[in-house]
Amino acid sequence: MSPDTTEHEYVLKVRDLTVDIRLGSSESRVVDGVSIEVHAGETVGLVGESGSGKSMFARTVVRLPPPNLEMRTNGAIEVAGYDIYELGVAELMKSRRAGTVGLIFQDPVASLNPTMRVGEQVREALQSSTAAQFTVEGLLERVGLHPAVSRRYPHELSGGQRQRIVIAIALAGNPRLLIADEATTALDPQVQRAIVDLLEDLKNDNNAGLLMISHDLEMIAQTCSRIYVMHNGQIVETNRAKELFESPEHWYTKKLIGASQRLAFGVGEG
Amino acid sequence: MSAGSVIGSNVRLALSNNGSVARFLRSKQGLFGVGTLLVLVLVSLAAPWISPFSGYDTSSPELLPPSSEHLMGTDDIGRDVLSVMLYGTGRTVFAGLISVLIAFCIGCTVGALAGYFGGWVEAVLMRVTELFQTLPALVLALFIVAIYGSNTVVLILVISLAIWPLEARIVYGQVLLYRSRPFVDAAITTGYRPFTVIVREILPNAMPPVMVQLSLDGGLALLYQVALNFLGFGSAKDPSWGQLMNVGQSYLSTAWWISIFPGVATSIAIVGFSLIGDAINRATSPYDHKPNIFRKQRR
């Protein structure tokens, strides 16, 4: 039976998570003692440079280990009331179909099956879900696309349209938690803004939690109420967005903010 | 969903959305290959009506050279060579095609499971595949035929066993390639069952190189079929191309027509399969149909 998540304040609660991966004979710790919480209706940011462990954290949260990598996890992960690592394989699939979490990836081209019409991909996502409330057309309209788009293949759509389809698929099961892993990085600034606004609207409509993972501090600052800063697999600082920008404490946070401001004002060019 | 409809829908999906079918139909090699295969299939179906004599009729004079009455001459027991070939086409071509289909089903299943699940499933299945790959195909075939006797069903199974590892390895490689793509991750996090992920998400993308291998294996299966019949492991009483070549080897200097005509037919059929494979490869390759940007500069 699906847990009643309305009674849970948190849609994501991670405690002391460590992730070790083994590739060949070498083993390395990619996530080190991370604790993160996301409330229902809240947008939380996770920032850090490339290779800091953000994406591995996201994969661990949805129990999606990279293929061909031996991964060992410690700690507790509770997503929408499910203790994800305590579930058997059948129960895990059942919880996914019940709409615990929707994951939105960075590259909208690679996130869609190139051999299927997008409408067919959305339909399959709806059919696999036990919590679906929309039709294909309804879901496409919900993410701001005309239903006629459903007959197209991914390569016939623009980057923004593709990312909207990816979001539609992630939303098919009405997930309690949406994880956007660099979901706007591959898009131009105007489309980025539109996609972020869409994610915010959808989150508010479902009273879901939204975890935005990005290295774009500016975008995270504009969108999220709380921000976690990740460096070398560890959370080095966490605060409300405003306080984090006004009085950063950790040297790495200061460096990130400084780099973001230099880019914004064009300092250091040429 | 039946295996046939899964394969059919995957092949359709793999070719449907990027102009591959149009490119295949525009290629002369592809059309020649498909045409050859169609002619062989039609001939095998219509053999009883279009052949001048029965393939089993031994009433004609022996070792007659090609003439207007016997276009390809007669063999050592008085059978019309053309009629024997027409009757043997079905056994040769269909045995080859069915062998390839069985090999595809086994190879596709083994390769997909090994590539998708990894771990001990991969270790066990790929070691079994390698074991079959290291066995010389013809020796394996001879061994099985020696134990279970020679008939068409045994021949088909033997040929399937000889070629399925080729399919398994290429499907395995393709599944490994697509297993880590984000759209597969997206499908898994949406709650798709492994069967759905493999059949709907991975295999349609993996199909183009698999289909190339499949068409090449068609030629290989046909060659094995002819070779086993040539070596005398087919049914002795039923006409086939390999059996005709076996008869003809004793009369190469005096009655060349007995072995030359089935030999040429075998070559044409194998070239047909190879051309289909080549055309599929060209039609589905992202590199082979780019406009030639240097053409104008050479003027």
Side-chain angles (χ1 to χ4, degrees):
Chain A
M1 199 178 84
S2 170
D4 183 2
T5 51
T6 54
E7 288 178 7
H8 289 74
E9 192 179 5
Y10 299 106
V11 287
L12 174 65
K13 196 172 184 179
V14 179
R15 281 276 170 270
D16 297 324
L17 178 68
T18 59
V19 179
D20 297 297
I21 57 167
R22 180 189 284 274
L23 188 58
S25 58
S26 64
E27 186 170 310
S28 61
R29 179 155 290 185
V30 288
V31 177
D32 188 2
V34 169
S35 297
I36 281 183
E37 289 158 357
V38 180
H39 298 76
E42 187 186 27
T43 303
V44 171
L46 177 62
V47 291
E49 63 195 5
S50 298
S52 59
K54 308 185 299 289
S55 294
M56 187 57 78
F57 171 78
R59 281 182 163 274
T60 310
V61 164
V62 295
R63 203 168 143 182
L64 188 70
N68 306 320
L69 274 185
E70 198 182 316
M71 193 170 98
R72 195 153 40 85
T73 60
N74 273 308
I77 302 173
E78 196 178 305
V79 182
Y82 288 96
D83 192 341
I84 288 290
Y85 280 82
E86 291 298 314
L87 299 176
V89 175
E91 290 169 314
L92 177 68
M93 281 202 294
K94 197 176 166 189
S95 76
R96 284 171 173 164
R97 287 195 292 273
T100 46
V101 61
L103 186 56
I104 301 158
F105 295 92
Q106 176 181 348
D107 185 355
V109 178
S111 301
L112 294 170
N113 187 339
T115 60
M116 285 171 78
R117 293 178 199 276
V118 293
E120 209 172 336
Q121 299 188 47
V122 175
R123 182 173 297 108
E124 282 200 344
L126 285 167
Q127 284 170 350
S128 79
S129 168
T130 52
Q133 293 174 347
F134 287 100
T135 59
V136 174
E137 291 73 19
L139 195 52
L140 289 177
E141 282 176 354
R142 185 72 200 82
V143 296
L145 290 171
H146 192 277
V149 164
S150 66
R151 288 194 297 275
R152 303 220 184 132
Y153 286 98
H155 71 272
E156 296 172 326
L157 303 175
S158 69
Q161 285 175 317
R162 284 186 202 127
Q163 195 59 300
R164 285 173 194 270
I165 295 290
V166 173
I167 293 170
I169 291 170
L171 282 176
N174 284 320
R176 299 291 301 134
L177 172 68
L178 267 174
I179 300 177
D181 184 6
E182 305 273 14
T184 58
T185 306
L187 305 171
D188 65 67
Q190 271 188 319
V191 181
Q192 269 187 10
R193 192 66 253 168
I195 294 293
V196 169
D197 291 343
L198 173 66
L199 286 172
E200 275 289 303
D201 287 348
L202 297 170
K203 178 210 73 176
N204 292 332
D205 288 353
N206 287 358
N207 194 32
L210 175 58
L211 177 63
M212 296 204 68
I213 298 173
S214 178
H215 59 259
D216 184 349
L217 200 55
E218 198 184 329
M219 187 271 289
I220 290 283
Q222 289 169 1
T223 317
C224 303
S225 55
R226 278 188 306 121
I227 299 176
Y228 290 86
V229 182
M230 197 171 201
H231 178 57
N232 282 345
Q234 295 179 322
I235 298 296
V236 293
E237 188 166 357
T238 177
N239 210 332
R240 301 192 68 77
K242 193 167 178 285
E243 281 82 13
L244 191 88
F245 265 79
E246 285 175 355
S247 51
E249 289 176 4
H250 195 272
W251 65 267
Y252 181 70
T253 313
K254 290 174 187 169
K255 189 179 153 194
L256 271 184
I257 293 171
S260 167
Q261 285 169 346
R262 276 201 301 280
L263 279 174
F265 292 109
V267 178
E269 281 180 9
Chain B
M1 194 183 284
S2 71
S5 69
V6 167
I7 294 165
S9 73
N10 283 345
V11 169
R12 178 177 52 79
L13 283 166
L15 288 173
S16 59
N17 71 331
N18 55 7
S20 300
V21 172
R23 280 195 294 278
F24 179 83
L25 292 176
R26 276 201 301 270
S27 82
K28 286 173 186 164
Q29 297 104 309
L31 289 182
F32 181 81
V34 170
T36 306
L37 200 58
L38 273 178
V39 167
L40 289 174
V41 169
L42 289 176
V43 161
S44 63
L45 292 174
W49 296 281
I50 61 171
S51 64
F53 300 90
S54 165
Y56 301 89
D57 183 1
T58 55
S59 60
S60 303
E62 297 155 8
L63 301 175
L64 280 179
S67 63
S68 57
E69 193 184 352
H70 298 282
L71 289 175
M72 294 184 181
T74 61
D75 70 0
D76 63 335
I77 54 171
R79 294 182 302 177
D80 178 62
V81 170
L82 175 61
S83 303
V84 173
M85 280 187 58
L86 291 175
Y87 271 80
T89 302
R91 187 157 288 105
T92 307
V93 173
F94 281 112
L97 289 177
I98 293 169
S99 305
V100 164
L101 196 64
I102 294 172
F104 173 74
C105 291
I106 300 172
C108 205
T109 307
V110 169
L113 292 177
Y116 185 80
F117 289 107
W120 67 267
V121 177
E122 176 187 27
V124 170
L125 291 178
M126 293 321 291
R127 292 306 83 76
V128 172
T129 305
E130 283 160 12
L131 177 71
F132 272 88
Q133 245 182 330
T134 54
L135 294 173
L138 272 179
V139 174
L140 175 72
L142 296 180
F143 182 71
I144 294 175
V145 168
I147 293 174
Y148 294 103
S150 58
N151 61 59
T152 306
V153 176
V154 170
L155 272 190
I156 287 172
L157 291 177
V158 161
I159 295 167
S160 306
L161 280 181
I163 58 178
W164 75 264
L166 302 172
E167 305 293 339
R169 287 210 75 85
I170 201 153
V171 171
Y172 168 70
Q174 287 292 301
V175 172
L176 278 187
L177 179 69
Y178 285 99
R179 173 72 179 78
S180 55
R181 294 288 167 94
F183 68 84
V184 175
D185 287 340
I188 293 169
T189 52
T190 311
Y192 288 15
R193 290 175 175 84
F195 177 80
T196 313
V197 176
I198 293 171
V199 170
R200 298 290 291 167
E201 303 293 329
I202 297 177
L203 286 185
N205 289 285
M207 273 300 128
V210 177
M211 284 193 292
V212 173
Q213 183 65 45
L214 201 61
S215 57
L216 296 177
D217 288 348
L220 191 62
L222 190 137
L223 191 62
Y224 279 148
Q225 214 275 348
V226 171
L228 287 170
N229 275 301
F230 174 78
L231 292 171
F233 288 96
S235 171
K237 61 181 189 299
D238 295 322
S240 73
W241 296 359
Q243 184 214 41
L244 210 48
M245 281 191 258
N246 178 300
V247 171
Q249 68 170 330
S250 307
Y251 304 96
L252 269 179
S253 54
T254 53
W256 52 267
W257 53 88
I258 303 176
S259 43
I260 287 293
F261 288 118
V264 169
T266 304
S267 302
I268 290 173
I270 292 170
V271 167
F273 276 110
S274 300
L275 289 177
I276 292 173
D278 190 47
I280 294 173
N281 190 27
R282 283 169 184 271
T284 55
S285 165
Y287 305 108
D288 222 26
H289 45 266
K290 282 182 178 170
N292 188 346
I293 56 171
F294 299 110
R295 191 165 290 159
K296 280 185 178 175
Q297 293 176 0
R298 280 207 300 267
R299 246 187 328 169

